[in-house]
């Protein structure tokens, strides 16, 4: 699963990334549309089928998504956060081998576009779309009035092949970003990770922290993550971290470090057998197992003793049968 990350530079050089309204394509395309938050197994089914049609019919593969996420524009859920930050999603799109990745600007004016204008003007005409892949429940246009049936009719008029992909089920229920968010909030990482197909991760730049860990034998690296990223609840987790193509086992704390009167939420990881200075580097930390909730200790020494126990708990997890599913993939 992770071997492909070592070759990410190759894919970065070939994917075109568009973040404005200049999306006109001269070459014919195969397109899929959605928010794709998390790139779970349902999203991947859409993208893989789009790539398949692109290859078979000599088209460019296009993934069209929207920025910001519509939920931020309409503000229906004040606590809404992203399973994947924009930079994480772009990173994964490159890894998946997409030809063209579009983050189309989204606002209330755009949302008021009629379904017919959205489909015909934006998708069929500007994107030069010949094959359109959507989920069976996909809705679009003003008041979400457009659906697959409308797309099929409009596609037949324009000579565009429109295909829907049935919802993907996992353990009897439909896979969705909403379901994954709920699993993360409930610390059910195994369920979330299975639906994501890869472990939930945080990608970010290493920043300087208080350096307390160094003084007690547990030097940690801090990640500066996207401010709209959904984190699991504050606490300690068994994690693996990718740095420059190498994977390291470790333990990660999410929280405010109450023992030393911390006030800002941080993501800090202690990596086993790692002794490098990596400030400014990009790292990717994968979450596998919840160990314990964050707590305030009576002294730094008590914190140090607990960190030893946390590291042992993480090692136990990675040596256990619970990790076997991922062991074969990592």
């Amino acid at each position: 699963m992770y071997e492909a990350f070592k070759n990410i530079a190759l894919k970065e050089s070939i994917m075109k990334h568009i973040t404005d309204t200049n999306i006109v394509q001269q070459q014919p395309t195969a397109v899929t549309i959605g928010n794709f938050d998390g790139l779970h197994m349902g999203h991947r089914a859409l993208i893989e089928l789009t790539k398949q049609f692109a290859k078979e019919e000599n088209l460019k593969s296009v993934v069209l998504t929207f920025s910001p996420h519509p939920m931020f524009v309409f503000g229906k859920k004040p606590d809404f956060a992203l399973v994947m930050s924009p930079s994480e999603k772009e990173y994964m799109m490159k890894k998946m081998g997409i030809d063209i990745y579009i983050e189309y600007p989204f606002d209330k004016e755009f949302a008021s576009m009629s379904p017919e204008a959205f489909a015909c003007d934006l998708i069929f005409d500007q994107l030069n779309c010949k094959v359109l892949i959507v989920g069976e429940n996909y809705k679009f246009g003003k008041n979400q009035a457009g659906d697959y049936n409308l797309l099929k009719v409009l596609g037949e008029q324009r000579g565009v092949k429109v295909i829907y992909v049935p919802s993907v089920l996992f353990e009897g229920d439909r896979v969705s970003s909403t379901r994954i968010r709920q699993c993360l909030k409930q610390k059910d990482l195994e369920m979330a990770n299975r639906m994501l197909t890869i472990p939930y991760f945080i990608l970010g730049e290493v920043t300087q922290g208080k350096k307390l860990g160094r003084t007690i034998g547990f030097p940690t690296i801090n990640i500066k993550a996207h401010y709209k990223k959904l984190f699991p609840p504050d606490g300690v987790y068994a994690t693996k971290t990718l740095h420059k193509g190498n994977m390291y086992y470790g333990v990660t704390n999410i929280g405010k470090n109450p023992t030393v009167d911390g006030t800002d939420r941080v993501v800090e990881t202690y990596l086993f057998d790692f002794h490098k200075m990596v400030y400014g580097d990009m790292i990717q930390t994968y979450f596998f197992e919840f160990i314990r909730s964050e707590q305030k200790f009576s002294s730094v020494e008590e914190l140090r003793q607990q960190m030893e126990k946390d590291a042992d708990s993480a090692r136990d997890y990675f040596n256990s049968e619970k990790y076997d599913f991922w062991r074969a993939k990592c």
Side-chain angles (χ1 to χ4, degrees), residues 77-324:
K77 295 182 180 179
D79 61 344
F80 181 81
L82 299 167
V83 178
M84 273 187 183
S85 70
S87 60
E88 291 169 345
K89 190 159 62 171
E90 179 192 358
Y91 173 83
M92 291 303 297
M93 290 292 182
K94 291 174 182 176
K95 178 179 177 294
M96 294 178 71
I98 300 302
D99 292 322
I100 303 167
Y101 173 48
I102 301 172
E103 292 182 273
Y104 198 90
F106 188 92
D107 55 25
K108 290 183 179 180
E109 180 179 357
F110 176 76
S112 68
M113 181 185 295
S114 73
E116 292 79 7
F118 176 83
C120 296
D121 298 344
L122 193 75
I123 307 302
F124 297 161
D125 292 347
Q126 292 190 49
L127 290 180
N128 198 5
C129 176
K130 303 304 179 186
V131 180
L132 177 60
I133 314 290
V134 296
E136 65 176 326
N137 298 315
Y138 181 65
K139 298 287 197 294
F140 62 95
K142 185 176 181 179
N143 298 323
Q144 298 284 281
D147 59 11
Y148 164 74
N149 292 321
L150 177 60
L151 285 173
K152 186 171 178 60
V153 170
L154 296 174
E156 288 173 350
Q157 295 172 358
R158 297 295 189 97
V160 177
K161 187 183 302 180
V162 180
I163 299 164
Y164 83 86
V165 175
S167 296
V168 174
L169 303 181
F170 182 75
E171 295 196 354
D173 292 319
R174 186 174 75 90
V175 175
S176 69
S177 299
T178 299
R179 185 180 172 195
I180 290 169
R181 288 188 193 93
Q182 192 61 32
C183 286
L184 291 173
K185 290 176 181 179
Q186 294 173 348
K187 298 174 285 195
D188 189 352
L189 286 163
E190 183 63 23
M191 178 71 78
N193 290 348
R194 292 291 189 98
M195 290 188 287
L196 288 168
T197 75
I198 65 170
Y200 164 92
F201 66 85
I202 298 175
L203 173 68
E205 180 183 346
V206 178
T207 60
Q208 293 197 38
K210 294 183 177 180
K211 300 182 181 180
L212 171 65
R214 298 183 182 282
T215 67
I216 58 176
F218 289 91
T220 60
I221 53 178
N222 294 0
I223 300 179
K224 181 181 180 181
H226 195 279
Y227 71 102
K228 292 181 179 178
K229 170 82 172 179
L230 174 66
F231 295 154
D234 289 355
V236 178
Y237 297 83
T239 58
K240 292 181 73 173
T241 295
L242 181 71
H243 175 256
K244 293 187 175 180
N246 295 311
M247 194 70 73
Y248 301 90
Y249 292 99
V251 60
T252 298
N253 180 76
I254 297 176
K256 296 183 178 180
N257 293 324
T259 302
V260 291
D261 299 322
T263 56
D264 297 324
R265 204 165 190 231
V266 296
V267 180
E268 53 183 351
T269 300
Y270 168 63
L271 300 180
F272 307 153
D273 305 314
F274 187 86
H275 308 286
K276 301 176 183 178
M277 298 292 287
V278 294
Y279 295 132
D281 289 354
M282 296 296 292
I283 63 169
Q284 194 166 6
T285 296
Y286 298 86
F287 288 68
F288 292 88
E289 175 84 348
F290 174 76
I291 294 176
R292 65 170 176 85
S293 297
E294 187 176 51
Q295 61 190 99
K296 183 172 183 177
F297 298 96
S298 60
S299 66
V300 172
E301 172 58 22
E302 187 178 353
L303 170 62
R304 186 195 67 78
Q305 293 175 9
Q306 183 59 53
M307 290 182 71
E308 286 185 348
K309 295 177 182 177
D310 295 340
D312 288 341
S313 295
R315 291 187 179 95
D316 289 343
Y317 166 76
F318 288 119
N319 287 321
S320 72
E321 292 182 358
K322 292 181 69 175
Y323 179 62
D324 283 349

